[in-house]
Amino acid sequence: MVTGYGAVTPLGHSVDETWTAMLAGRSGIGTVDAIDVTGLGVRIGGQVRGFTPGRYMPPTVSRRADPYAQYALAAALEACEHAGLVVDDRLAPRVAVIIGSGYGPVGSIYRAANTLRDKGPRAISPFTQVTTAMDSAVGEISMRLGTQGPSRAQSTACASGADAVGAGMRMIGHGEADIVLAGGADACVTAVDLAGSGNARALSRRNDDPTAACRPFDAHRDGFVMSEGAAVVVLEAAETADRRGATVLAELTGYGASSDAHHWTAPHPEGRGACLAVEAALRDAGISGADVDYVNAHGTGTLLNDAVETAVLRKVLGDRVTRIPVSSTKSMTGHMIGAAGAVELVAAIQALRTGDVPPTVNCDEPIDPDINFVPHRAQHHGRLRTALSNSFGFGGHNAALVVRAI
């Protein structure tokens, strides 16, 4: 059961702010100004603007923690507040934390390398080996909340957030924990990552028109937009939620994962791995494609991903795909890498709770005109029972989640 969630995104510093912006079709993508982008071929991204670490953590934490860990901690605190969850001595041994990230604390790693080069080894902080580790976000959350169950980092590129949630679901199902804080975080709008992904021809180069740059499922798409953010959900066993008197927001019923075993950056041309993940998630949920009412698509805005994902949805959902809304919220947030799957699961849950489906902005000329990609404006679809959220990543990582309305 999902009993709480929190988010920090280019659209806002909470779930409510992010969701309101999504329904309004507002873009969080702009010219990058937090770093020097001189000489970069790509100078746009989805930054988390106006974030004040002091609202969520003391200076001793914010000084050492990479932004990706700061965002994760802020999202976890919101999720706990939303769920009414206080980790006391009784609960602590049965509360776990799993945070996915594709890149981890890359900003801290780059800064440490530059410090070593410019100032020598004595200038390196003794916290460096901790704060530059992939599990630093998990550690900050666990220490802040006092959780004593398993805590671990998950890294499967762009599928990291979804895989972390799926792993949390399995952990509860196997009796390893009663409550899991699960989600994803990344802060990779850096010169190195913009340069590398830009050189790989994966990023949009619409530097002069940032809000129109991310164009999922549009015929004129030219790449994804690098973004940052975090989202965390509170997962609970049904009996634990009932015992706490928690409000259940939705039920996470299915999870599937797979690997393409094909290429580092390109999806399998027939979408074999993606099909396996989606089919596994539906099977895990005990449903078929005919039962899906909404798809929050991976929808990156790259030439290959969107074409392959469209073919996968047609194959797995059949005729159903032409009768339901399919949207990509990345069109507004950009691609938050490890955070994407968790943020998009939150959006899918919000759609189930409200009946409102966020749009795919910039989808002027849909690549499949028979599919409702929810172009430009949000749509109200009344009672939605089941949603599918897809996450496909570099390295051939695929993950899919199925969530059901309560």
Side-chain angles (χ1 to χ4, degrees):
M1 300 296 174
V2 181
T3 59
Y5 38 45
V8 175
T9 76
L11 297 177
H13 301 162
S14 67
V15 169
D16 284 347
E17 289 179 6
T18 297
W19 180 244
T20 298
M22 283 182 176
L23 291 185
R26 188 161 69 244
S27 176
I29 298 168
T31 300
V32 173
D33 57 13
I35 59 172
D36 183 4
V37 294
T38 303
L40 296 180
V42 175
R43 301 183 296 280
I44 56 174
Q47 296 174 281
V48 174
R49 299 178 185 273
F51 181 79
T52 305
R55 289 183 55 195
Y56 311 96
M57 64 202 77
T60 52
V61 174
S62 62
R63 281 197 298 265
R64 72 178 180 235
D66 185 86
Y68 107 103
Q70 295 179 15
Y71 301 155
L73 178 56
L77 293 174
E78 182 192 358
C80 287
E81 181 178 5
H82 190 210
L85 175 63
V86 177
V87 182
D88 56 22
D89 291 342
R90 179 181 58 83
L91 283 178
R94 301 291 297 169
V95 181
V97 183
I98 307 177
I99 299 296
S101 184
Y103 292 81
V106 288
S108 294
I109 293 171
Y110 301 153
R111 283 190 295 273
N114 290 338
T115 297
L116 180 64
R117 180 197 62 204
D118 298 337
K119 298 182 180 180
R122 290 184 63 84
I124 297 296
S125 167
F127 285 108
T128 299
Q129 69 273 27
V130 175
T131 58
T132 59
M134 182 67 78
D135 66 344
S136 58
V138 171
E140 296 292 0
I141 293 170
S142 179
M143 286 186 286
R144 174 63 178 273
L145 297 176
T147 67
Q148 296 175 343
S151 60
R152 62 190 59 155
Q154 171 85 42
S155 188
T156 47
C158 313
S160 297
D163 275 328
V165 173
M169 174 187 174
R170 292 282 187 263
M171 190 175 285
I172 291 174
H174 293 159
E176 298 177 56
D178 296 328
I179 301 172
V180 181
L181 301 177
D186 259 312
C188 45
V189 182
T190 69
V192 171
D193 296 301
L194 288 175
S197 293
N199 290 344
R201 299 175 183 264
L203 300 181
S204 172
R205 291 179 176 265
R206 294 176 186 264
N207 292 312
D208 297 330
D209 195 3
T211 60
C214 193
R215 312 181 67 81
F217 305 112
D218 181 69
H220 303 289
R221 65 198 185 280
D222 71 329
F224 76 86
V225 174
M226 188 76 78
S227 295
E228 59 186 6
V232 173
V233 297
V234 177
L235 305 176
E236 299 192 48
E239 56 271 23
T240 304
D242 184 62
R243 189 163 55 246
R244 286 201 318 109
T247 298
V248 176
L249 307 175
E251 181 182 6
L252 185 64
T253 58
Y255 164 59
S258 70
S259 298
D260 280 358
H262 170 67
H263 190 275
W264 265 111
T265 58
H268 189 282
E270 297 174 10
R272 290 179 185 173
C275 277
L276 287 173
V278 174
E279 288 169 347
L282 295 176
R283 189 165 56 248
D284 193 39
I287 64 173
S288 71
D291 299 306
V292 175
D293 298 315
Y294 167 57
V295 178
N296 189 295
H298 185 56
T300 60
T302 61
L303 291 175
L304 294 179
N305 173 84
D306 292 6
V308 169
E309 186 171 14
T310 299
V312 166
L313 291 175
R314 276 196 166 274
K315 178 180 179 181
V316 177
L317 303 186
D319 291 341
R320 182 68 170 169
V321 76
T322 63
R323 303 198 299 273
I324 61 172
V326 177
S327 68
S328 171
T329 47
K330 286 186 181 72
S331 60
M332 296 169 283
T333 64
H335 194 343
M336 294 172 284
I337 312 299
V343 171
E344 289 155 16
L345 174 65
V346 170
I349 294 172
Q350 287 289 82
L352 294 181
R353 297 183 69 206
T354 65
D356 295 321
V357 174
T360 306
V361 301
N362 303 320
C363 190
D364 297 332
E365 189 177 332
I367 58 175
D368 188 331
D370 294 328
I371 295 178
N372 175 15
F373 289 117
V374 196
H376 308 307
R377 295 177 181 82
Q379 298 173 0
H380 185 72
H381 283 264
R383 182 65 168 159
L384 300 173
R385 292 290 303 168
T386 303
L388 168 69
S389 182
N390 292 334
S391 298
F392 311 135
F394 281 179
H397 300 290
N398 306 294
L401 298 169
V402 175
V403 64
R404 185 173 66 86
I406 296 300

